[in-house]
Amino acid sequence: MSKPKVLIQIDPDSHASTFDSMVAIDSGIDHLLCHSNVTADQVESLVHGAMFTRGPQDLHQTALFFGGSDVAKTELLLVAAKNCFFGPMRVSILADPNGSNTTAAAAVICAQRHGTLAGKTITVLAGTGPVGQRIAQIVAGPATQNESAPTIRVCSRRIEKAQEVCNELAKRVEGNFVPTQSGSPDEALAATAGAEVVFAAGAAGVELLPAAWSEMPGSPAVAVDLNAVPPTGIAGIQVMDSGERRGNAYCFGAIGVGGLKMKIHKRAVSRLFDTNDQVLEIEEIYRLGVEVESNN
Ligand code: NAP
């Protein structure tokens, strides 16, 4: 008889994300073990508890989920966990700190419903946060285009920050990343002018792009906003938008993207239990998202 499916949720926050716990339970696991306030030096004993309690033939029934609101802290935990594995002694891992990987994957896939991103000019407003950076990484990555590379404007209120993020992105994936200043509404309009697709990945409750964007000559054909807290990040987009046509653009709001994000998150959790050697991070999660989308 197969062992029950156990997911161990590891989170650096003082309270592990209830959102992540709920999604895990709804994804068909049998038991959830939840650890909060976890620091890198504590990871080894947690991972050893997962690795050494079941024989190699049953290790695929145990998996780790890494969440947390501070992406940098979660990344340290992830590195510590991967360092614990050797040979067949490993369990599968899913990383989705603050929902950043699943959200970015869903946002890009929604935009792709209206055409390839290859060769296009793409603006990522607030491209410096966890979600914005991952959108830029996916758009640049080979997973999204095998024709000509897109040009990706990575926007920030501070050009120095945009430059730093572009440098970091370039270490992860080859791409045409263009640091772009977008501190004021006029700068955001200029950053969007001439782009075929605009993503807004700004902090909750902040309008980044004023309504005039949709009246600009050559305005974007697709606009995706991830901020669910009014006002929306792109003026005129509604949170429920899921491909609604507004002006010349197909529009997506945070909840419109959120439906696909939830499906990707659940599929990723259930996929963990197929084998014991998976590491599901941004690229793998995007590819899973493409599978989910094609089965929709
Ligand atoms: P974040 O880290 O909170 O913020 C992203 C960027 O927004 C920051 O790097 C900053 O860029 C800019 N920003 C912060 N405060 C600002 C202000 N007062 N005015 C203008 N810009 C400001 O966001 P995130 O975690 O990457 O998430 C992005 C968005 O996705 C959020 O709105 C979040 O709520 C949403 N989200 C949606 C879902 C979903 O399922 N729909 C899931 C997860 C997250 P600069 O300092 O470089 O300008």
Side-chain angles (χ1 to χ4, degrees), residues 19 98-100 103 126-133 155-158 161-162 182-183 200-208 225-229 253-255 257-258 261:
F19 181 98
N98 229 12
S100 54
T103 303
T128 53
V131 174
Q133 288 189 43
C155 303
S156 168
R157 288 169 292 178
R158 285 192 308 112
K161 189 172 171 187
S182 67
V206 179
E207 180 182 294
L208 299 175
D225 180 34
L226 295 165
N227 161 29
V229 179
I255 297 178
V257 173
K261 175 237 158 19

PDB file of all heavy atoms in Angstrom, residues 19 98-100 103 126-133 155-158 161-162 182-183 200-208 225-229 253-255 257-258 261, ligand 1:
ATOM      1  N   PHE A  19      -2.736  30.944   2.996  1.00  0.00           N
ATOM      2  CA  PHE A  19      -3.096  30.785   1.581  1.00  0.00           C
ATOM      3  C   PHE A  19      -2.414  29.529   1.030  1.00  0.00           C
ATOM      4  O   PHE A  19      -3.052  28.662   0.417  1.00  0.00           O
ATOM      5  CB  PHE A  19      -2.657  32.039   0.809  1.00  0.00           C
ATOM      6  CG  PHE A  19      -2.980  32.025  -0.653  1.00  0.00           C
ATOM      7  CD1 PHE A  19      -4.103  32.671  -1.136  1.00  0.00           C
ATOM      8  CD2 PHE A  19      -2.157  31.367  -1.558  1.00  0.00           C
ATOM      9  CE1 PHE A  19      -4.407  32.659  -2.497  1.00  0.00           C
ATOM     10  CE2 PHE A  19      -2.445  31.345  -2.909  1.00  0.00           C
ATOM     11  CZ  PHE A  19      -3.579  31.997  -3.381  1.00  0.00           C
ATOM     12  N   ASN A  98       5.500  34.144  -1.801  1.00  0.00           N
ATOM     13  CA  ASN A  98       4.524  35.220  -2.029  1.00  0.00           C
ATOM     14  C   ASN A  98       3.724  35.009  -3.323  1.00  0.00           C
ATOM     15  O   ASN A  98       3.243  35.985  -3.908  1.00  0.00           O
ATOM     16  CB  ASN A  98       5.242  36.571  -2.082  1.00  0.00           C
ATOM     17  CG  ASN A  98       4.552  37.576  -1.171  1.00  0.00           C
ATOM     18  OD1 ASN A  98       3.701  37.199  -0.366  1.00  0.00           O
ATOM     19  ND2 ASN A  98       4.897  38.842  -1.304  1.00  0.00           N
ATOM     20  N   GLY A  99       3.634  33.799  -3.769  1.00  0.00           N
ATOM     21  CA  GLY A  99       2.896  33.523  -5.012  1.00  0.00           C
ATOM     22  C   GLY A  99       3.571  34.060  -6.254  1.00  0.00           C
ATOM     23  O   GLY A  99       2.973  34.103  -7.338  1.00  0.00           O
ATOM     24  N   SER A 100       4.850  34.453  -6.132  1.00  0.00           N
ATOM     25  CA  SER A 100       5.475  35.187  -7.242  1.00  0.00           C
ATOM     26  C   SER A 100       5.650  34.332  -8.496  1.00  0.00           C
ATOM     27  O   SER A 100       5.421  34.825  -9.613  1.00  0.00           O
ATOM     28  CB  SER A 100       6.834  35.755  -6.806  1.00  0.00           C
ATOM     29  OG  SER A 100       7.655  34.731  -6.273  1.00  0.00           O
ATOM     30  N   THR A 103       2.119  33.439 -10.034  1.00  0.00           N
ATOM     31  CA  THR A 103       1.452  34.648 -10.548  1.00  0.00           C
ATOM     32  C   THR A 103       2.114  35.133 -11.833  1.00  0.00           C
ATOM     33  O   THR A 103       1.436  35.468 -12.815  1.00  0.00           O
ATOM     34  CB  THR A 103       1.490  35.767  -9.484  1.00  0.00           C
ATOM     35  OG1 THR A 103       0.865  35.279  -8.306  1.00  0.00           O
ATOM     36  CG2 THR A 103       0.772  37.019  -9.969  1.00  0.00           C
ATOM     37  N   ALA A 126       6.915  48.488 -12.677  1.00  0.00           N
ATOM     38  CA  ALA A 126       7.306  47.918 -11.380  1.00  0.00           C
ATOM     39  C   ALA A 126       7.939  46.541 -11.597  1.00  0.00           C
ATOM     40  O   ALA A 126       7.632  45.574 -10.900  1.00  0.00           O
ATOM     41  CB  ALA A 126       6.129  47.842 -10.411  1.00  0.00           C
ATOM     42  N   GLY A 127       8.815  46.496 -12.568  1.00  0.00           N
ATOM     43  CA  GLY A 127       9.475  45.236 -12.914  1.00  0.00           C
ATOM     44  C   GLY A 127      10.553  44.831 -11.924  1.00  0.00           C
ATOM     45  O   GLY A 127      11.244  43.830 -12.148  1.00  0.00           O
ATOM     46  N   THR A 128      10.665  45.551 -10.822  1.00  0.00           N
ATOM     47  CA  THR A 128      11.731  45.278  -9.847  1.00  0.00           C
ATOM     48  C   THR A 128      11.273  44.376  -8.712  1.00  0.00           C
ATOM     49  O   THR A 128      12.098  43.859  -7.970  1.00  0.00           O
ATOM     50  CB  THR A 128      12.217  46.599  -9.231  1.00  0.00           C
ATOM     51  OG1 THR A 128      11.053  47.280  -8.722  1.00  0.00           O
ATOM     52  CG2 THR A 128      12.907  47.466 -10.251  1.00  0.00           C
ATOM     53  N   GLY A 129       9.947  44.224  -8.521  1.00  0.00           N
ATOM     54  CA  GLY A 129       9.451  43.383  -7.424  1.00  0.00           C
ATOM     55  C   GLY A 129       9.546  41.912  -7.798  1.00  0.00           C
ATOM     56  O   GLY A 129       9.893  41.562  -8.939  1.00  0.00           O
ATOM     57  N   PRO A 130       9.230  41.024  -6.852  1.00  0.00           N
ATOM     58  CA  PRO A 130       9.324  39.591  -7.131  1.00  0.00           C
ATOM     59  C   PRO A 130       8.503  39.164  -8.340  1.00  0.00           C
ATOM     60  O   PRO A 130       8.977  38.394  -9.178  1.00  0.00           O
ATOM     61  CB  PRO A 130       8.775  38.947  -5.846  1.00  0.00           C
ATOM     62  CG  PRO A 130       8.984  39.973  -4.793  1.00  0.00           C
ATOM     63  CD  PRO A 130       8.876  41.306  -5.450  1.00  0.00           C
ATOM     64  N   VAL A 131       7.278  39.665  -8.461  1.00  0.00           N
ATOM     65  CA  VAL A 131       6.434  39.235  -9.583  1.00  0.00           C
ATOM     66  C   VAL A 131       6.956  39.835 -10.890  1.00  0.00           C
ATOM     67  O   VAL A 131       7.103  39.131 -11.901  1.00  0.00           O
ATOM     68  CB  VAL A 131       4.953  39.623  -9.334  1.00  0.00           C
ATOM     69  CG1 VAL A 131       4.103  39.323 -10.559  1.00  0.00           C
ATOM     70  CG2 VAL A 131       4.397  38.884  -8.115  1.00  0.00           C
ATOM     71  N   GLY A 132       7.264  41.132 -10.882  1.00  0.00           N
ATOM     72  CA  GLY A 132       7.741  41.795 -12.101  1.00  0.00           C
ATOM     73  C   GLY A 132       9.025  41.175 -12.626  1.00  0.00           C
ATOM     74  O   GLY A 132       9.182  40.957 -13.836  1.00  0.00           O
ATOM     75  N   GLN A 133       9.953  40.882 -11.718  1.00  0.00           N
ATOM     76  CA  GLN A 133      11.222  40.269 -12.159  1.00  0.00           C
ATOM     77  C   GLN A 133      10.977  38.920 -12.813  1.00  0.00           C
ATOM     78  O   GLN A 133      11.604  38.565 -13.814  1.00  0.00           O
ATOM     79  CB  GLN A 133      12.151  40.062 -10.971  1.00  0.00           C
ATOM     80  CG  GLN A 133      12.741  41.334 -10.435  1.00  0.00           C
ATOM     81  CD  GLN A 133      13.822  41.055  -9.404  1.00  0.00           C
ATOM     82  OE1 GLN A 133      14.651  40.176  -9.575  1.00  0.00           O
ATOM     83  NE2 GLN A 133      13.809  41.821  -8.331  1.00  0.00           N
ATOM     84  N   CYS A 155      10.866  48.438 -15.616  1.00  0.00           N
ATOM     85  CA  CYS A 155      10.627  49.796 -15.116  1.00  0.00           C
ATOM     86  C   CYS A 155      10.683  49.873 -13.597  1.00  0.00           C
ATOM     87  O   CYS A 155      10.296  48.936 -12.896  1.00  0.00           O
ATOM     88  CB  CYS A 155       9.249  50.278 -15.557  1.00  0.00           C
ATOM     89  SG  CYS A 155       9.054  50.245 -17.341  1.00  0.00           S
ATOM     90  N   SER A 156      11.125  51.031 -13.152  1.00  0.00           N
ATOM     91  CA  SER A 156      11.188  51.322 -11.719  1.00  0.00           C
ATOM     92  C   SER A 156      11.046  52.822 -11.527  1.00  0.00           C
ATOM     93  O   SER A 156      11.300  53.593 -12.460  1.00  0.00           O
ATOM     94  CB  SER A 156      12.548  50.878 -11.156  1.00  0.00           C
ATOM     95  OG  SER A 156      12.740  51.380  -9.847  1.00  0.00           O
ATOM     96  N   ARG A 157      10.678  53.208 -10.300  1.00  0.00           N
ATOM     97  CA  ARG A 157      10.675  54.645 -10.005  1.00  0.00           C
ATOM     98  C   ARG A 157      12.100  55.193 -10.029  1.00  0.00           C
ATOM     99  O   ARG A 157      12.307  56.374 -10.205  1.00  0.00           O
ATOM    100  CB  ARG A 157      10.047  54.900  -8.626  1.00  0.00           C
ATOM    101  CG  ARG A 157       8.550  54.696  -8.584  1.00  0.00           C
ATOM    102  CD  ARG A 157       8.033  54.696  -7.170  1.00  0.00           C
ATOM    103  NE  ARG A 157       8.502  53.526  -6.429  1.00  0.00           N
ATOM    104  CZ  ARG A 157       8.239  53.296  -5.157  1.00  0.00           C
ATOM    105  NH1 ARG A 157       7.509  54.157  -4.469  1.00  0.00           N
ATOM    106  NH2 ARG A 157       8.691  52.201  -4.557  1.00  0.00           N
ATOM    107  N   ARG A 158      13.081  54.322  -9.795  1.00  0.00           N
ATOM    108  CA  ARG A 158      14.490  54.766  -9.786  1.00  0.00           C
ATOM    109  C   ARG A 158      15.249  53.999 -10.861  1.00  0.00           C
ATOM    110  O   ARG A 158      15.289  52.768 -10.855  1.00  0.00           O
ATOM    111  CB  ARG A 158      15.132  54.488  -8.426  1.00  0.00           C
ATOM    112  CG  ARG A 158      14.691  55.447  -7.330  1.00  0.00           C
ATOM    113  CD  ARG A 158      15.565  55.318  -6.097  1.00  0.00           C
ATOM    114  NE  ARG A 158      15.693  53.959  -5.610  1.00  0.00           N
ATOM    115  CZ  ARG A 158      16.822  53.245  -5.648  1.00  0.00           C
ATOM    116  NH1 ARG A 158      17.928  53.756  -6.165  1.00  0.00           N
ATOM    117  NH2 ARG A 158      16.844  52.018  -5.172  1.00  0.00           N
ATOM    118  N   LYS A 161      17.739  51.392  -9.677  1.00  0.00           N
ATOM    119  CA  LYS A 161      17.159  50.109  -9.245  1.00  0.00           C
ATOM    120  C   LYS A 161      16.812  49.263 -10.477  1.00  0.00           C
ATOM    121  O   LYS A 161      17.057  48.051 -10.507  1.00  0.00           O
ATOM    122  CB  LYS A 161      15.910  50.379  -8.397  1.00  0.00           C
ATOM    123  CG  LYS A 161      15.332  49.166  -7.719  1.00  0.00           C
ATOM    124  CD  LYS A 161      14.215  49.582  -6.753  1.00  0.00           C
ATOM    125  CE  LYS A 161      13.449  48.405  -6.218  1.00  0.00           C
ATOM    126  NZ  LYS A 161      12.275  48.823  -5.409  1.00  0.00           N
ATOM    127  N   ALA A 162      16.265  49.910 -11.494  1.00  0.00           N
ATOM    128  CA  ALA A 162      15.946  49.179 -12.727  1.00  0.00           C
ATOM    129  C   ALA A 162      17.220  48.572 -13.317  1.00  0.00           C
ATOM    130  O   ALA A 162      17.220  47.426 -13.773  1.00  0.00           O
ATOM    131  CB  ALA A 162      15.283  50.120 -13.731  1.00  0.00           C
ATOM    132  N   SER A 182      10.253  54.984 -14.515  1.00  0.00           N
ATOM    133  CA  SER A 182       8.806  55.243 -14.610  1.00  0.00           C
ATOM    134  C   SER A 182       8.269  55.673 -13.252  1.00  0.00           C
ATOM    135  O   SER A 182       7.384  55.037 -12.686  1.00  0.00           O
ATOM    136  CB  SER A 182       8.053  54.032 -15.145  1.00  0.00           C
ATOM    137  OG  SER A 182       8.117  52.981 -14.220  1.00  0.00           O
ATOM    138  N   GLY A 183       8.817  56.772 -12.764  1.00  0.00           N
ATOM    139  CA  GLY A 183       8.414  57.264 -11.437  1.00  0.00           C
ATOM    140  C   GLY A 183       7.137  58.076 -11.461  1.00  0.00           C
ATOM    141  O   GLY A 183       6.372  58.078 -10.499  1.00  0.00           O
ATOM    142  N   ALA A 200       1.666  45.309 -15.430  1.00  0.00           N
ATOM    143  CA  ALA A 200       1.867  46.167 -14.253  1.00  0.00           C
ATOM    144  C   ALA A 200       1.946  45.265 -13.035  1.00  0.00           C
ATOM    145  O   ALA A 200       0.988  44.555 -12.721  1.00  0.00           O
ATOM    146  CB  ALA A 200       0.727  47.165 -14.119  1.00  0.00           C
ATOM    147  N   ALA A 201       3.108  45.282 -12.395  1.00  0.00           N
ATOM    148  CA  ALA A 201       3.343  44.398 -11.242  1.00  0.00           C
ATOM    149  C   ALA A 201       3.698  45.228 -10.021  1.00  0.00           C
ATOM    150  O   ALA A 201       4.585  44.896  -9.245  1.00  0.00           O
ATOM    151  CB  ALA A 201       4.455  43.397 -11.576  1.00  0.00           C
ATOM    152  N   GLY A 202       2.970  46.341  -9.854  1.00  0.00           N
ATOM    153  CA  GLY A 202       3.272  47.260  -8.760  1.00  0.00           C
ATOM    154  C   GLY A 202       2.643  46.826  -7.450  1.00  0.00           C
ATOM    155  O   GLY A 202       1.800  45.924  -7.408  1.00  0.00           O
ATOM    156  N   ALA A 203       3.078  47.500  -6.394  1.00  0.00           N
ATOM    157  CA  ALA A 203       2.558  47.207  -5.060  1.00  0.00           C
ATOM    158  C   ALA A 203       1.048  47.419  -5.034  1.00  0.00           C
ATOM    159  O   ALA A 203       0.490  48.177  -5.830  1.00  0.00           O
ATOM    160  CB  ALA A 203       3.244  48.114  -4.046  1.00  0.00           C
ATOM    161  N   ALA A 204       0.404  46.733  -4.090  1.00  0.00           N
ATOM    162  CA  ALA A 204      -1.055  46.802  -3.973  1.00  0.00           C
ATOM    163  C   ALA A 204      -1.522  48.241  -3.774  1.00  0.00           C
ATOM    164  O   ALA A 204      -0.912  49.008  -3.027  1.00  0.00           O
ATOM    165  CB  ALA A 204      -1.503  45.930  -2.800  1.00  0.00           C
ATOM    166  N   GLY A 205      -2.612  48.601  -4.467  1.00  0.00           N
ATOM    167  CA  GLY A 205      -3.253  49.899  -4.252  1.00  0.00           C
ATOM    168  C   GLY A 205      -2.563  51.093  -4.883  1.00  0.00           C
ATOM    169  O   GLY A 205      -2.854  52.230  -4.526  1.00  0.00           O
ATOM    170  N   VAL A 206      -1.665  50.861  -5.831  1.00  0.00           N
ATOM    171  CA  VAL A 206      -0.944  51.974  -6.465  1.00  0.00           C
ATOM    172  C   VAL A 206      -1.239  51.989  -7.966  1.00  0.00           C
ATOM    173  O   VAL A 206      -0.982  50.998  -8.662  1.00  0.00           O
ATOM    174  CB  VAL A 206       0.586  51.847  -6.262  1.00  0.00           C
ATOM    175  CG1 VAL A 206       1.321  53.007  -6.947  1.00  0.00           C
ATOM    176  CG2 VAL A 206       0.932  51.797  -4.783  1.00  0.00           C
ATOM    177  N   GLU A 207      -1.776  53.117  -8.442  1.00  0.00           N
ATOM    178  CA  GLU A 207      -1.964  53.253  -9.904  1.00  0.00           C
ATOM    179  C   GLU A 207      -0.626  53.663 -10.514  1.00  0.00           C
ATOM    180  O   GLU A 207      -0.046  54.672 -10.134  1.00  0.00           O
ATOM    181  CB  GLU A 207      -3.022  54.321 -10.220  1.00  0.00           C
ATOM    182  CG  GLU A 207      -3.242  54.472 -11.715  1.00  0.00           C
ATOM    183  CD  GLU A 207      -4.246  55.567 -12.056  1.00  0.00           C
ATOM    184  OE1 GLU A 207      -5.430  55.407 -11.717  1.00  0.00           O
ATOM    185  OE2 GLU A 207      -3.825  56.577 -12.665  1.00  0.00           O
ATOM    186  N   LEU A 208      -0.166  52.874 -11.463  1.00  0.00           N
ATOM    187  CA  LEU A 208       1.124  53.160 -12.108  1.00  0.00           C
ATOM    188  C   LEU A 208       0.934  53.859 -13.450  1.00  0.00           C
ATOM    189  O   LEU A 208       1.743  54.688 -13.843  1.00  0.00           O
ATOM    190  CB  LEU A 208       1.896  51.853 -12.343  1.00  0.00           C
ATOM    191  CG  LEU A 208       2.259  51.031 -11.104  1.00  0.00           C
ATOM    192  CD1 LEU A 208       2.916  49.723 -11.529  1.00  0.00           C
ATOM    193  CD2 LEU A 208       3.189  51.800 -10.182  1.00  0.00           C
ATOM    194  N   ASP A 225      -2.689  43.613 -15.500  1.00  0.00           N
ATOM    195  CA  ASP A 225      -2.450  44.295 -14.230  1.00  0.00           C
ATOM    196  C   ASP A 225      -2.629  43.304 -13.086  1.00  0.00           C
ATOM    197  O   ASP A 225      -3.628  42.579 -13.046  1.00  0.00           O
ATOM    198  CB  ASP A 225      -3.444  45.447 -14.088  1.00  0.00           C
ATOM    199  CG  ASP A 225      -3.247  46.188 -12.782  1.00  0.00           C
ATOM    200  OD1 ASP A 225      -2.092  46.291 -12.329  1.00  0.00           O
ATOM    201  OD2 ASP A 225      -4.252  46.639 -12.203  1.00  0.00           O
ATOM    202  N   LEU A 226      -1.689  43.287 -12.132  1.00  0.00           N
ATOM    203  CA  LEU A 226      -1.739  42.272 -11.082  1.00  0.00           C
ATOM    204  C   LEU A 226      -2.162  42.811  -9.724  1.00  0.00           C
ATOM    205  O   LEU A 226      -2.224  42.060  -8.751  1.00  0.00           O
ATOM    206  CB  LEU A 226      -0.372  41.585 -10.988  1.00  0.00           C
ATOM    207  CG  LEU A 226      -0.083  40.827 -12.285  1.00  0.00           C
ATOM    208  CD1 LEU A 226       1.376  40.448 -12.391  1.00  0.00           C
ATOM    209  CD2 LEU A 226      -0.979  39.610 -12.402  1.00  0.00           C
ATOM    210  N   ASN A 227      -2.466  44.083  -9.659  1.00  0.00           N
ATOM    211  CA  ASN A 227      -2.844  44.684  -8.383  1.00  0.00           C
ATOM    212  C   ASN A 227      -4.356  44.586  -8.182  1.00  0.00           C
ATOM    213  O   ASN A 227      -5.125  45.154  -8.943  1.00  0.00           O
ATOM    214  CB  ASN A 227      -2.369  46.145  -8.392  1.00  0.00           C
ATOM    215  CG  ASN A 227      -3.078  46.990  -7.368  1.00  0.00           C
ATOM    216  OD1 ASN A 227      -3.499  46.477  -6.328  1.00  0.00           O
ATOM    217  ND2 ASN A 227      -3.199  48.272  -7.654  1.00  0.00           N
ATOM    218  N   ALA A 228      -4.740  43.865  -7.116  1.00  0.00           N
ATOM    219  CA  ALA A 228      -6.175  43.642  -6.875  1.00  0.00           C
ATOM    220  C   ALA A 228      -6.792  44.711  -5.980  1.00  0.00           C
ATOM    221  O   ALA A 228      -8.000  44.744  -5.792  1.00  0.00           O
ATOM    222  CB  ALA A 228      -6.356  42.272  -6.221  1.00  0.00           C
ATOM    223  N   VAL A 229      -5.960  45.585  -5.413  1.00  0.00           N
ATOM    224  CA  VAL A 229      -6.464  46.550  -4.430  1.00  0.00           C
ATOM    225  C   VAL A 229      -6.671  47.902  -5.115  1.00  0.00           C
ATOM    226  O   VAL A 229      -5.730  48.448  -5.689  1.00  0.00           O
ATOM    227  CB  VAL A 229      -5.443  46.699  -3.266  1.00  0.00           C
ATOM    228  CG1 VAL A 229      -5.927  47.719  -2.248  1.00  0.00           C
ATOM    229  CG2 VAL A 229      -5.181  45.348  -2.620  1.00  0.00           C
ATOM    230  N   GLY A 253      -7.137  41.679 -15.375  1.00  0.00           N
ATOM    231  CA  GLY A 253      -6.953  42.221 -14.030  1.00  0.00           C
ATOM    232  C   GLY A 253      -6.476  41.126 -13.088  1.00  0.00           C
ATOM    233  O   GLY A 253      -6.364  39.956 -13.471  1.00  0.00           O
ATOM    234  N   ALA A 254      -6.229  41.520 -11.828  1.00  0.00           N
ATOM    235  CA  ALA A 254      -5.595  40.589 -10.879  1.00  0.00           C
ATOM    236  C   ALA A 254      -6.434  39.324 -10.665  1.00  0.00           C
ATOM    237  O   ALA A 254      -5.890  38.220 -10.588  1.00  0.00           O
ATOM    238  CB  ALA A 254      -5.358  41.299  -9.556  1.00  0.00           C
ATOM    239  N   ILE A 255      -7.733  39.497 -10.575  1.00  0.00           N
ATOM    240  CA  ILE A 255      -8.556  38.299 -10.331  1.00  0.00           C
ATOM    241  C   ILE A 255      -8.711  37.496 -11.627  1.00  0.00           C
ATOM    242  O   ILE A 255      -8.753  36.264 -11.605  1.00  0.00           O
ATOM    243  CB  ILE A 255      -9.912  38.695  -9.711  1.00  0.00           C
ATOM    244  CG1 ILE A 255      -9.626  39.338  -8.343  1.00  0.00           C
ATOM    245  CG2 ILE A 255     -10.841  37.489  -9.562  1.00  0.00           C
ATOM    246  CD1 ILE A 255     -10.832  39.837  -7.606  1.00  0.00           C
ATOM    247  N   VAL A 257      -6.402  37.077 -13.789  1.00  0.00           N
ATOM    248  CA  VAL A 257      -5.173  36.262 -13.863  1.00  0.00           C
ATOM    249  C   VAL A 257      -5.179  35.209 -12.751  1.00  0.00           C
ATOM    250  O   VAL A 257      -4.668  34.098 -12.910  1.00  0.00           O
ATOM    251  CB  VAL A 257      -3.922  37.168 -13.725  1.00  0.00           C
ATOM    252  CG1 VAL A 257      -2.652  36.343 -13.633  1.00  0.00           C
ATOM    253  CG2 VAL A 257      -3.839  38.147 -14.893  1.00  0.00           C
ATOM    254  N   GLY A 258      -5.804  35.589 -11.611  1.00  0.00           N
ATOM    255  CA  GLY A 258      -5.751  34.732 -10.416  1.00  0.00           C
ATOM    256  C   GLY A 258      -6.360  33.344 -10.628  1.00  0.00           C
ATOM    257  O   GLY A 258      -5.921  32.382 -10.004  1.00  0.00           O
ATOM    258  N   LYS A 261      -3.689  31.317 -12.119  1.00  0.00           N
ATOM    259  CA  LYS A 261      -2.637  31.184 -11.085  1.00  0.00           C
ATOM    260  C   LYS A 261      -3.004  30.059 -10.107  1.00  0.00           C
ATOM    261  O   LYS A 261      -2.161  29.224  -9.753  1.00  0.00           O
ATOM    262  CB  LYS A 261      -2.466  32.515 -10.326  1.00  0.00           C
ATOM    263  CG  LYS A 261      -1.497  32.464  -9.169  1.00  0.00           C
ATOM    264  CD  LYS A 261      -2.198  32.890  -7.900  1.00  0.00           C
ATOM    265  CE  LYS A 261      -1.600  32.440  -6.618  1.00  0.00           C
ATOM    266  NZ  LYS A 261      -0.303  31.988  -6.404  1.00  0.00           N
TER     267      LYS A 261
HETATM  268  P1  NAP B   1       5.793  44.441  -4.407  1.00  0.00           P
HETATM  269  O1  NAP B   1       7.121  43.806  -4.140  1.00  0.00           O
HETATM  270  O2  NAP B   1       4.968  44.833  -3.227  1.00  0.00           O
HETATM  271  O3  NAP B   1       5.987  45.748  -5.300  1.00  0.00           O
HETATM  272  C1  NAP B   1       6.495  45.671  -6.611  1.00  0.00           C
HETATM  273  C2  NAP B   1       7.124  46.998  -6.997  1.00  0.00           C
HETATM  274  O4  NAP B   1       6.166  48.054  -6.877  1.00  0.00           O
HETATM  275  C3  NAP B   1       8.279  47.443  -6.140  1.00  0.00           C
HETATM  276  O5  NAP B   1       9.471  46.785  -6.504  1.00  0.00           O
HETATM  277  C4  NAP B   1       8.315  48.938  -6.382  1.00  0.00           C
HETATM  278  O6  NAP B   1       9.116  49.207  -7.539  1.00  0.00           O
HETATM  279  C5  NAP B   1       6.871  49.291  -6.763  1.00  0.00           C
HETATM  280  N1  NAP B   1       6.258  50.105  -5.699  1.00  0.00           N
HETATM  281  C6  NAP B   1       6.206  49.848  -4.379  1.00  0.00           C
HETATM  282  N2  NAP B   1       5.543  50.827  -3.724  1.00  0.00           N
HETATM  283  C7  NAP B   1       5.201  51.743  -4.674  1.00  0.00           C
HETATM  284  C8  NAP B   1       4.535  52.991  -4.623  1.00  0.00           C
HETATM  285  N3  NAP B   1       4.058  53.496  -3.484  1.00  0.00           N
HETATM  286  N4  NAP B   1       4.351  53.665  -5.783  1.00  0.00           N
HETATM  287  C9  NAP B   1       4.796  53.153  -6.965  1.00  0.00           C
HETATM  288  N5  NAP B   1       5.448  51.976  -7.068  1.00  0.00           N
HETATM  289  C10 NAP B   1       5.650  51.281  -5.930  1.00  0.00           C
HETATM  290  O7  NAP B   1       4.908  43.507  -5.334  1.00  0.00           O
HETATM  291  P2  NAP B   1       5.033  41.955  -5.748  1.00  0.00           P
HETATM  292  O8  NAP B   1       5.086  41.077  -4.544  1.00  0.00           O
HETATM  293  O9  NAP B   1       6.077  41.816  -6.792  1.00  0.00           O
HETATM  294  O10 NAP B   1       3.585  41.753  -6.397  1.00  0.00           O
HETATM  295  C11 NAP B   1       3.187  42.547  -7.510  1.00  0.00           C
HETATM  296  C12 NAP B   1       1.682  42.695  -7.530  1.00  0.00           C
HETATM  297  O11 NAP B   1       1.098  41.425  -7.761  1.00  0.00           O
HETATM  298  C13 NAP B   1       1.084  43.197  -6.200  1.00  0.00           C
HETATM  299  O12 NAP B   1       0.065  44.156  -6.483  1.00  0.00           O
HETATM  300  C14 NAP B   1       0.506  41.950  -5.582  1.00  0.00           C
HETATM  301  O13 NAP B   1      -0.572  42.240  -4.698  1.00  0.00           O
HETATM  302  C15 NAP B   1       0.054  41.212  -6.813  1.00  0.00           C
HETATM  303  N6  NAP B   1      -0.133  39.763  -6.687  1.00  0.00           N
HETATM  304  C16 NAP B   1      -1.218  39.243  -7.320  1.00  0.00           C
HETATM  305  C17 NAP B   1      -1.459  37.894  -7.250  1.00  0.00           C
HETATM  306  C18 NAP B   1      -2.676  37.322  -7.973  1.00  0.00           C
HETATM  307  O14 NAP B   1      -2.947  36.130  -7.895  1.00  0.00           O
HETATM  308  N7  NAP B   1      -3.409  38.106  -8.727  1.00  0.00           N
HETATM  309  C19 NAP B   1      -0.576  37.064  -6.525  1.00  0.00           C
HETATM  310  C20 NAP B   1       0.566  37.610  -5.945  1.00  0.00           C
HETATM  311  C21 NAP B   1       0.772  38.991  -6.042  1.00  0.00           C
HETATM  312  P3  NAP B   1      10.188  50.403  -7.616  1.00  0.00           P
HETATM  313  O15 NAP B   1      10.609  50.733  -6.219  1.00  0.00           O
HETATM  314  O16 NAP B   1      11.276  49.810  -8.418  1.00  0.00           O
HETATM  315  O17 NAP B   1       9.484  51.508  -8.308  1.00  0.00           O
END
